[in-house]
């Protein structure tokens, strides 16, 4: 052991972590990491605007256009609150992880984190919390907008079930983002992710109900995890279910597992390459 | 519970490696080889940083410096050989709590402030410096609440230094810390390092600036093509490598001069022959014996620069 003693010169921050036998405060570590991960992205317009402002803007535009119709037994206005919420969750998870990991890896920031005694789990925990927070904001804002602009009402129980279903989506799409973050560089990752996000959101009926689209697209949609994600959330919100809830959850679980495996593979592939 | 002597030593260590290992080394490579595909970045390198010592790993670009540090930091695994950090696996959290590192990064997240970055990093360590103390050490008082993205290049470099210091580490790794800085900022950085280390911490520094190694290091290891070509104090390395420059006006040919005792390389400029010698006394005696008429005899110390060039075989002679 060394005898170097820390000198907390009037620092309130350090005071709590210095006890007789110095130990890290793990709770504080995880909370701090998550807090700054959220702040970091909130201050990044490229992220916060595309994740928060775009779904809201689209909802206001398209919600007004389709508001009168009924889809799957609920009003199109309600359908769109759920759909754009799902799009927000997808964007928050996919871009938060994908672009985040790709750029932090590219900068060498991740190497610095790996050399530090930060538990690797804290890094991912912080990003998951960040994605959940941004997703929550999107859902809450869209619910309030729907109520205010078009009188969309949810039963408390139905809203909570829908909220739970939407938050479940963070895991598969964050995993997909993570894989892309390790597979692609900081410059190509945002473009590649947009190439995934935009068609997937459109073809899964997140922006416009699938019922107004050609039947071919509806059949394609069944192969997309994003479609099952949206249908699961819709069914919890009170829409007529399409397909079984078990299938939807299973698809999301398998997507998570496959993407995590891909991320782990890409991580090791990258580890061998970076120092070559 | 009894603690066996040397319990931290890996059981698989061979007798030879064990003899080469040292119980109290801060960071250590023992016969470490690292290959990336067909490229051998490090070739059976043994290196050791001792407590309180500043070790400079010096070498031209591509010599294997960053690879050596990556192994010591547990960022890469050796193809063969041993790596130890505080006698343990470099990847263990216990080892990592005792080190700080300034790596070659192009940036850290731009939308957090100096204070926020340091606050987050401080939570990783059991007994960190205070955030304000780290800010003061790095000279960032005026910009503590500024976003990283709005800092100047020199200020960003100082934040990287503060991030290395925040854990109050026993050992500091500085991987080419002044690359890209101007001469004045570089000197200011050296003063900072000297001031805040004061023999209390160990430093492993990689650099291709000879001046930097000369200014900071207690020990210098010269790496070239993945091998250690010289190791010792800066003075020893200078002496062992090229020692002295002996110049004289002589009738000896360059070939004849090259055969004299201690001579490593010969350079002719007009009538003057300049000999790089590892043993200037022997060279002068041999020269005068071979050519009693030799005149204008001059013996000067070779700088680390010449030593470096001579060691890495990058002379024009």
């Amino acid at each position: 052991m060394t005898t170097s003693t820390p000198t907390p010169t009037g620092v309130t921050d350090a005071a709590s972590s210095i006890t007789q036998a110095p130990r890290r405060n793990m709770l504080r570590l995880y909370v701090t990491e998550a807090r700054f991960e959220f702040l970091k992205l909130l201050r990044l317009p490229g992220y916060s605007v595309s994740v928060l402002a775009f779904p809201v803007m689209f909802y206001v535009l398209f919600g007004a256009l389709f508001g009168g119709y009924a889809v799957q037994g609920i009003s199109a206005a309600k359908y769109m609150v759920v759909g754009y919420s799902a799009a927000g969750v997808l964007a928050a998870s996919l871009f938060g992880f994908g672009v985040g990991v790709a750029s932090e890896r590219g900068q060498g920031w991740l190497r610095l984190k790996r050399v530090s005694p930060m538990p690797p789990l804290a890094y991912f925990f912080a990003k998951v919390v960040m994605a959940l927070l941004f997703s929550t904001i999107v859902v809450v804002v869209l619910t309030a907008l729907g109520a205010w602009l078009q009188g969309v009402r949810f039963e408390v129980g139905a809203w909570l079930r829908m909220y739970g279903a939407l938050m479940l989506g963070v895991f598969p799409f964050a995993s997909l983002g993570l894989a892309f973050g390790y597979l692609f560089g900081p410059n190509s990752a945002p473009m590649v992710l947009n190439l995934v996000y935009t068609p997937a959101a459109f073809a899964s009926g997140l922006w416009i109900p699938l019922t107004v689209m050609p039947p071919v697209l509806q059949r394609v949609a069944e192969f997309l995890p994003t479609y099952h994600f949206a249908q699961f959330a819709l069914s919890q919100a009170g829409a007529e279910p399409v397909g079984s809830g078990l299938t939807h959850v299973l698809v999301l679980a398998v997507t998570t597992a496959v993407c995590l495996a891909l991320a782990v593979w890409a991580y090791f592939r990258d580890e061998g390459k970076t120092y070559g | 519970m009894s603690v066996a002597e040397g319990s931290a030593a890996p059981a698989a260590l061979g007798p030879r490696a064990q003899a080469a290992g040292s119980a109290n080394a801060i960071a250590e490579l023992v016969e470490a080889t690292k290959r990336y595909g067909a490229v051998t970045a490090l070739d059976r390198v043994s290196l050791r940083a001792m407590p309180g010592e500043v070790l400079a790993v010096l070498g031209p670009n591509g010599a294997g410096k960053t690879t050596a540090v990556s192994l010591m930091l547990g960022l890469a695994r050796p193809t063969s050989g041993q790596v130890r950090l505080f006698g343990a696996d470099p990847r263990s959290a216990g080892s990592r709590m005792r080190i700080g590192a300034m790596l070659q990064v192009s940036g850290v997240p731009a939308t957090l402030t100096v204070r926020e970055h340091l606050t987050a990093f401080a939570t990783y360590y059991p007994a960190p410096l205070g955030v304000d103390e780290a800010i003061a050490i790095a000279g960032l008082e005026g910009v503590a609440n500024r976003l990283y993205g709005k800092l100047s290049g020199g200020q960003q470099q100082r934040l990287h230094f503060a991030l290395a210091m925040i854990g109050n580490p026993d050992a500091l790794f500085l991987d080419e810390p002044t690359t890209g800085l101007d001469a004045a900022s570089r000197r200011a950085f050296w003063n900072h390092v000297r001031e805040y280390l004061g023999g209390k911490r160990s430093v492993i520094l990689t650099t291709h600036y000879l001046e930097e190694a000369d200014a900071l290091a207690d020990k210098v290891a010269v790496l070239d093509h993945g091998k250690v070509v010289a190791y010792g104090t800066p003075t020893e390395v200078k002496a062992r490598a090229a020692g002295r420059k002996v110049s004289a006006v002589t009738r000896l040919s360059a070939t004849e001069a090259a055969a004299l005792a201690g001579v490593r390389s010969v350079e002719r400029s007009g009538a003057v022959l300049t000999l790089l010698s590892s043993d200037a006394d022997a060279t002068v005696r041999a020269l005068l014996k071979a050519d009693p008429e030799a005149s204008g005899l001059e013996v000067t110390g070779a700088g680390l620069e010449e030593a470096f060039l001579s060691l890495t075989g990058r002379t024009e002679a």
Side-chain angles (χ1 to χ4, degrees):
Chain A
M1 283 306 286
T2 56
T3 51
S4 60
T5 48
T7 47
T9 44
V11 182
T12 50
D13 260 342
S16 62
S17 69
I18 291 163
T19 51
Q20 288 250 294
R23 286 190 65 172
R24 300 189 286 180
N25 181 335
M26 293 306 271
L27 180 67
R28 209 169 71 106
L29 189 159
Y30 276 83
V31 169
T32 308
E33 194 71 17
R35 180 160 65 101
F36 287 138
E37 180 67 28
F38 177 71
L39 262 181
K40 183 176 88 186
L41 287 172
L42 191 64
R43 288 174 186 158
L44 199 68
Y47 182 78
S48 52
V49 168
S50 55
V51 168
L52 298 178
F54 284 171
V56 169
M57 198 176 75
F58 282 142
Y59 172 73
V60 172
L61 287 174
F62 291 112
L65 276 176
F66 293 95
Y69 295 86
V71 187
Q72 289 182 232
I74 55 171
S75 72
K78 192 178 214 172
Y79 178 100
M80 286 191 168
V81 169
V82 185
Y84 284 105
S85 292
V89 171
L90 180 62
S93 313
L94 206 56
F95 291 100
F97 273 77
V99 179
V101 170
S103 69
E104 288 170 4
R105 199 166 54 84
Q107 284 177 325
W109 178 233
L110 272 191
R111 289 186 79 203
L112 206 57
K113 289 259 202 189
R114 274 173 65 197
V115 167
S116 84
M118 175 195 73
L121 200 59
Y123 179 77
F124 300 108
F125 169 82
K127 279 194 160 32
V128 169
V129 170
M130 172 277 299
L132 287 170
L133 277 176
F134 273 102
S135 299
T136 302
I137 294 172
V138 174
V139 180
V140 168
V141 167
L142 284 171
T143 305
L145 265 179
W148 178 48
L149 294 175
Q150 298 182 293
V152 176
R153 295 283 181 274
F154 289 92
E155 279 175 50
V156 175
W159 189 89
L160 286 176
R161 281 195 302 276
M162 173 197 74
Y163 173 76
L166 286 168
M167 293 306 116
L168 207 62
V170 165
F171 298 94
F173 304 124
S175 307
L176 182 62
L178 190 64
F180 276 76
Y182 280 113
L183 282 171
F184 296 95
N187 297 320
S188 53
M191 186 197 68
V192 175
L193 285 165
N194 264 310
L195 283 177
V196 171
Y197 169 77
T198 310
F202 181 76
S204 303
L206 303 190
W207 292 342
I208 300 168
L210 280 177
T211 43
V212 305
M213 292 196 230
V216 184
L217 209 56
Q218 298 186 38
R219 243 172 289 144
V220 171
E222 284 176 34
F223 294 97
L224 298 173
T226 39
Y227 166 81
H228 292 276
F229 169 51
Q231 282 306 326
F232 187 54
L234 280 166
S235 67
Q236 299 307 310
E240 280 164 16
V242 177
S244 83
L246 186 67
T247 309
H248 300 321
V249 173
L250 218 59
V251 168
L252 295 182
V254 169
T255 305
T256 307
V258 169
C259 292
L260 279 182
L262 187 64
V264 169
W265 175 79
Y267 167 81
F268 283 111
R269 170 180 161 272
D270 171 66
E271 199 185 32
K273 204 169 59 178
T274 312
Y275 314 110
Chain B
M1 194 179 87
S2 69
V3 178
E5 197 183 0
S7 58
L13 217 59
R16 187 177 170 200
Q18 223 150 24
S22 169
N24 60 345
I26 297 286
E28 191 170 26
L29 298 181
V30 183
E31 299 267 307
T33 295
K34 180 66 182 174
R35 279 190 210 96
Y36 295 103
V39 181
T40 303
L42 278 186
D43 190 2
R44 282 185 293 125
V45 165
S46 293
L47 259 185
R48 189 184 302 160
M50 299 306 286
E53 167 183 291
V54 178
L55 169 70
V57 180
L58 182 65
N61 287 328
K65 305 184 296 281
T66 296
T67 303
V69 168
S70 293
L71 291 184
M72 286 179 177
L73 291 173
L75 284 170
R77 239 172 295 183
T79 311
S80 66
Q82 300 283 328
V83 181
R84 263 165 277 152
L85 188 58
F86 295 104
D89 188 317
R91 287 167 301 168
S92 71
S95 297
R96 287 189 167 164
M97 279 181 200
R98 297 177 64 185
I99 63 166
M102 198 175 160
L103 304 178
Q104 297 181 60
V105 297
S106 61
V108 311
T111 50
L112 289 177
T113 67
V114 167
R115 181 178 296 282
E116 287 165 347
H117 271 303
L118 289 169
T119 303
F121 250 66
T123 65
Y124 304 159
Y125 298 89
L129 299 178
V131 170
D132 285 320
E133 197 184 348
I135 286 170
I137 284 176
L140 288 165
E141 290 96 337
V143 292
N145 295 315
R146 193 170 293 178
L147 295 180
Y148 177 83
K150 308 250 189 232
L151 298 178
S152 72
Q155 288 166 340
Q156 292 186 341
Q157 204 84 343
R158 273 184 272 158
L159 175 64
H160 302 165
F161 180 63
L163 285 172
M165 291 291 288
I166 187 75
N168 196 15
D170 296 325
L172 201 56
F173 286 80
L174 308 173
D175 192 12
E176 310 217 356
T178 60
T179 300
L181 293 187
D182 58 49
S185 310
R186 191 172 299 144
R187 261 164 229 288
F189 180 81
W190 297 344
N191 287 335
H192 251 100
V193 172
R194 268 196 295 253
E195 193 174 335
Y196 288 101
L197 301 178
K200 190 177 132 203
R201 300 174 214 277
S202 305
V203 179
I204 291 95
L205 165 83
T206 71
T207 182
H208 58 260
Y209 295 117
L210 313 155
E211 228 189 324
E212 192 157 278
D214 224 359
L216 294 174
D218 301 309
K219 291 279 168 58
V220 179
V222 182
L223 267 188
D224 191 39
H225 296 303
K227 288 188 186 226
V228 176
V229 292
Y231 173 81
T233 64
T235 321
E236 281 167 4
V237 167
K238 283 185 250 181
R240 199 158 81 227
R244 309 246 150 177
K245 269 196 281 194
V246 176
S247 55
V249 178
T250 169
R251 58 175 171 75
L252 293 181
S253 72
T255 326
E256 284 168 320
L260 297 175
V263 173
R264 293 197 168 221
S265 68
V266 181
E267 210 180 318
R268 179 179 282 285
S269 132
V272 181
L273 265 189
T274 301
L275 314 170
L276 269 174
S277 166
S278 55
D279 184 350
D281 298 331
T283 302
V284 170
R285 265 184 234 113
L287 174 67
L288 288 173
K289 199 171 168 193
D291 178 15
E293 319 271 274
S295 64
L297 205 62
E298 219 173 277
V299 180
T300 53
L304 196 52
E305 179 99 36
E306 275 106 357
F308 180 64
L309 291 175
S310 146
L311 284 166
T312 56
R314 279 163 171 72
T315 43
E316 54 290 301

